[in-house]
Structure formats: C-alpha cells, structure tokens
Amino acid sequence: MPRPTAAQLAYGSCTVIFSTLAMLLLSQTSSGLGIAVIAFSALALGLLVAMTVPLPRTRTVATPQPTPVVQQRMPAPREPVAATVEPIREPSTP
C-alpha cells in the first residue's frame, strides 16, 4: 500500500476536525457515548476523504509507434513494344 501524500493527510485531518466540531455543535450532546460516536464517525469520514483524494499520476514514457509502411499501388511493368517500321506505300499514279 503506498504511503499517503501530504494532501491526503491535510484533507483527512481537516475533515476530522471540522466534522467533529460541526456534529458536536449541531447535536448539542453532553454524554460520553454521544461524543464517542461523533468522534468515531468523524474519524471514519476523515479516512474516507483521505483515501478518495486522487493520487499523483506517475509519468509513463510512451513508446513510439512504428510508422506504417504505405504500400503504393504501382502499375505492372510493361514489356516494350517492338516498333516495326513498315515502309510507307503510296498509291502509284499512272
């Protein structure tokens, strides 16, 4: 279990102190059992607040993603067409 941070300790302690004072003032109890119940509930509330404070995130180093190789469609190589040279035949004139 990781150690609590300073923020968690501060939030939890303030919650315990202020919630104890508020519940004692609002309930106006003077019995020992009532004060014990209020103190226990304030302690539970402070623990709940301290544990729900978000923890600092650890930095993760992102691994570079390999760049995808783009395959381009190339036309198939054509065989050279042999150019045949034919003599030009002109009609003979009589």
Side-chain angles (χ1 to χ4, degrees):
M1 183 172 175
R3 292 184 178 181
T5 62
Q8 288 176 318
L9 291 174
Y11 286 139
S13 299
C14 289
T15 302
V16 169
I17 292 168
F18 291 127
S19 63
T20 303
L21 288 175
M23 285 189 279
L24 284 174
L25 290 173
L26 290 174
S27 69
Q28 296 178 353
T29 186
S30 59
S31 68
L33 183 62
I35 294 173
V37 169
I38 289 175
F40 180 74
S41 61
L43 187 62
L45 184 63
L47 184 64
L48 178 71
V49 167
M51 289 298 123
T52 56
V53 172
L55 293 173
R57 294 182 182 170
T58 58
R59 283 191 171 175
T60 56
V61 177
T63 56
Q65 297 290 333
T67 56
V69 177
V70 178
Q71 295 179 352
Q72 296 178 351
R73 297 189 78 156
M74 303 281 292
R78 296 182 181 172
E79 295 180 13
V81 178
T84 55
V85 180
E86 294 182 16
I88 300 176
R89 296 185 185 177
E90 296 182 6
S92 59
T93 52

